[in-house]
Amino acid sequence: MKTIIEPFKVKTVEPIKFNTPLDRETILKQAGYNPFMIHAEDVIIDLLTDSGTSAMSAKQWSGMMDGDESYAGARSFFRFEKVIKELTGFKNIIPTHQGRAAEKILFSILGGEGKFIPNNTHFDTTRANIEFSGAIAVDLPCTGGRDPDIISDFKGNMDIDALEKFIIDKGVKNIPLIMITITNNSNGGQPVSMENIRASRAIANKYGIPLFIDACRFAENAFFIKKREPGYSDKSIKEIAQEIFSYADGCTMSAKKDALVNMGGFLALNNDELALKARNILVVTEGFPTYGGLAGRDLEAIAQGLEEVLDEHYLTYRIRSVEYLGEKLTQAGVPILQPPGGHAIYLNAQKFASHIPPHQYPGQSIVCYLYVIGGIRSSEIGSVMFGKTDKLSGKFIPASMELVRLAIPRRVYTQSHIDYVIEAVIETYNQRQSLKGYRITYEAPLLRHFTAQFEPIKE
Ligand code: F0G
């Protein structure tokens, strides 16, 4: 087998500014040991997120020049609408400025007090929008989905039996929709099988509940189906994606992932009455229905990106580059969440820095060390993000897993960048005994991980 190469040539470059470990120690200290507070310029390889960080193609950039900026009825909207209709089959296509704006509109209509919304695993913004409406967001991942060491093909799946029990228990009238997130970001970017989506549809039909897909990484999910699920190897990614969407009544989409753009999203759905309500909210919060918070040029770039992302050469390279990172780290003994997901590698921080207890944030410690050693920015997904202190007892409640996410931007880094990341992670792992715990010196009341300040614990 030959090396799987990047299926593109580089036409425009953005220089990386280099600094030294000594510089980075100062920068990190000034940022309160929170990489979210570091200027991006001071980062060598930025693996904070795969969202909005894609490199656009020459065709997307030329589409930007060609964007029709008319307030109403822009040609760019009709191209956007046509591409999404063909891909998803949904009747109503509503542009939004990003994924969470689509979620906000959907749950403003369907959420509310007394309602429950099940999902294989909600992403944070989905959960936040559901809870903001007064409804309750519930995760029903499949058995083993949350075990970092189990290797299986579709660890992102919904637990279908649990879903049915949940519907019976809470009552059909209290469940306005079922959601499936593909790939399952909060569960390691693991894919969901077509069989599982079909089974979710069967439950939705049985109880007359609509099914919505959180489609951010639909193309990566479709690629995993092609590679891993019997009966799909001869189908095109587009055919697989079309089949996925055919089982749903609608979707929310953050175009910042699999539409290969830096900003954008949409809500798509079949129900005309619901679409009318959604457009009424859209006009107030986002914009006129044919632009909804986006410029005409953004709509062009999304339409083009949605066509490019279906290219199998692109997806082969994309999934392989993440797998390659996971493979090399595993070979070196670095504990990661298995198997590698579609858009990121998650280090198992609890095993990696087993001498640091959860209340001293092992993930944060790895994140800081990786920055100093290699200028690599990653994010803690553990007790900094999800840990709590019980108000009454003052007792620390840790997150269910201590992870560090290395999210890979699309089409941005080459194999040598990934090799550099591998070297830095292995070096950090080899020096793990010198990692120190951290304590929080400042935290905001909500979503503290973004702005928290830390200090290393001296002993
Ligand atoms: N759903 C999923 C599964 C996501 O991963 C995200 C964003 C959203 C919805 C919200 O989309 O950012 O366009 O409003 N995930 C990013 C991440 C932020 O880093 O994983 P958005």
Side-chain angles (χ1 to χ4, degrees):
M1 249 271 292
K2 293 207 172 67
T3 303
I4 294 166
I5 60 170
E6 288 81 8
F8 47 79
K9 294 185 283 182
V10 178
K11 189 170 227 158
T12 307
V13 297
E14 187 181 347
I16 291 174
K17 196 182 99 185
F18 287 92
N19 44 23
T20 66
L22 211 62
D23 298 334
R24 294 193 289 269
E25 263 175 35
T26 312
I27 292 166
L28 187 65
K29 192 170 179 202
Q30 279 165 356
Y33 298 94
N34 184 348
F36 275 105
M37 308 301 278
I38 294 174
H39 292 197
E41 253 203 344
D42 295 328
V43 174
I44 294 178
I45 307 266
D46 205 343
L47 307 183
L48 196 61
T49 180
D50 65 318
S51 181
T53 50
S54 304
M56 294 212 296
S57 66
K59 278 204 172 149
Q60 283 177 298
W61 281 109
S62 58
M64 297 282 282
M65 282 305 293
D66 205 28
D68 176 355
E69 303 303 343
S70 306
Y71 192 95
R75 171 179 30 81
S76 299
F77 170 74
F78 295 111
R79 179 177 176 205
F80 169 90
E81 186 188 45
K82 184 166 173 275
V83 168
I84 299 170
K85 274 191 173 169
E86 195 186 316
L87 176 68
T88 66
F90 298 132
K91 270 173 74 186
N92 299 284
I93 312 300
I94 301 172
T96 59
H97 79 273
Q98 62 184 89
R100 69 197 71 181
E103 293 165 0
K104 168 82 174 134
I105 293 171
L106 182 65
F107 298 118
S108 304
I109 306 166
L110 293 180
E113 295 286 337
K115 300 279 198 284
F116 296 87
I117 294 150
N119 197 331
N120 47 352
T121 312
H122 289 282
F123 182 66
D124 320 9
T125 58
T126 323
R127 173 177 298 281
N129 275 303
I130 290 170
E131 289 173 357
F132 189 76
S133 81
I136 294 173
V138 182
D139 294 339
L140 301 172
C142 65
T143 314
R146 280 203 174 126
D147 182 330
D149 299 321
I150 288 181
I151 297 189
S152 73
D153 284 345
F154 293 105
K155 260 172 98 174
N157 279 354
M158 173 93 87
D159 184 334
I160 301 294
D161 291 341
L163 176 66
E164 184 159 23
K165 279 200 197 91
F166 183 80
I167 295 169
I168 295 166
D169 182 40
K170 300 296 175 198
V172 173
K173 68 176 193 320
N174 298 319
I175 303 183
L177 73 157
I178 299 165
M179 278 196 100
I180 303 180
T181 303
I182 61 172
T183 56
N184 191 337
N185 182 12
S186 304
N187 249 21
Q190 301 292 324
V192 177
S193 69
M194 194 72 89
E195 188 188 11
N196 194 254
I197 297 171
R198 219 178 285 124
S200 304
R201 175 76 255 170
I203 298 284
N205 281 350
K206 184 168 171 189
Y207 295 97
I209 301 172
L211 175 67
F212 273 70
I213 291 182
D214 176 338
C216 303
R217 299 177 180 88
F218 76 94
E220 290 170 6
N221 201 97
F223 186 78
F224 280 117
I225 289 176
K226 182 174 169 98
K227 294 290 158 190
R228 296 181 180 174
E229 193 161 349
Y232 288 93
S233 60
D234 293 335
K235 292 211 157 66
S236 70
I237 298 297
K238 187 170 179 180
E239 285 166 336
I240 297 172
Q242 285 169 328
E243 184 179 340
I244 293 174
F245 288 117
S246 76
Y247 297 125
D249 299 285
C251 75
T252 55
M253 172 81 185
S254 168
K256 299 169 76 170
K257 284 86 169 172
D258 271 352
L260 302 171
V261 294
N262 307 115
M263 189 48 78
F266 56 86
L267 172 64
L269 68 174
N270 282 333
N271 185 316
D272 293 330
E273 201 186 318
L274 198 61
L276 184 69
K277 287 185 185 160
R279 288 196 179 102
N280 288 341
I281 299 176
L282 187 85
V283 177
V284 180
T285 59
E286 293 279 299
F288 188 76
T290 61
Y291 74 83
L294 293 169
R297 54 180 173 268
D298 295 327
L299 299 168
E300 285 285 339
I302 293 170
Q304 179 64 30
L306 284 173
E307 287 178 347
E308 291 176 12
V309 79
L310 302 174
D311 174 21
E312 243 176 77
H313 292 292
Y314 159 73
L315 284 167
T316 302
Y317 136 80
R318 166 74 180 156
I319 300 302
R320 176 61 194 152
S321 62
V322 176
E323 184 188 55
Y324 173 81
L325 170 59
E327 218 170 76
K328 296 280 177 195
L329 294 180
T330 306
Q331 281 164 9
V334 178
I336 66 164
L337 193 154
Q338 296 287 2
H343 68 290
I345 289 296
Y346 296 68
L347 306 176
N348 184 341
Q350 196 55 83
K351 274 198 184 165
F352 192 118
S354 54
H355 61 290
I356 304 177
H359 70 276
Q360 292 182 1
Y361 311 115
Q364 192 67 21
S365 179
I366 296 168
V367 162
C368 288
Y369 207 83
L370 259 182
Y371 176 68
V372 172
I373 220 168
I376 295 163
R377 179 154 68 169
S378 53
S379 75
E380 194 265 10
I381 304 191
S383 288
V384 174
M385 202 179 261
F386 299 120
K388 290 188 196 103
T389 307
D390 185 78
K391 283 206 180 80
L392 287 178
S393 65
K395 227 180 118 196
F396 173 79
I397 308 163
S400 59
M401 286 198 260
E402 302 294 337
L403 303 173
V404 169
R405 186 177 78 167
L406 308 171
I408 314 298
R410 295 171 180 78
R411 304 194 293 207
V412 171
Y413 295 118
T414 62
Q415 185 167 341
S416 67
H417 290 116
I418 299 291
D419 282 330
Y420 173 87
V421 172
I422 292 164
E423 286 161 14
V425 176
I426 293 175
E427 196 176 330
T428 305
Y429 186 63
N430 291 340
Q431 294 172 17
R432 61 191 180 279
Q433 287 312 328
S434 62
L435 293 176
K436 300 240 174 338
Y438 280 77
R439 78 166 64 83
I440 294 180
T441 56
Y442 162 77
E443 62 180 291
L446 287 174
L447 298 173
R448 68 176 179 183
H449 56 282
F450 289 124
T451 54
Q453 299 283 288
F454 301 84
E455 66 184 15
I457 296 170
K458 296 262 157 40
E459 269 341 303

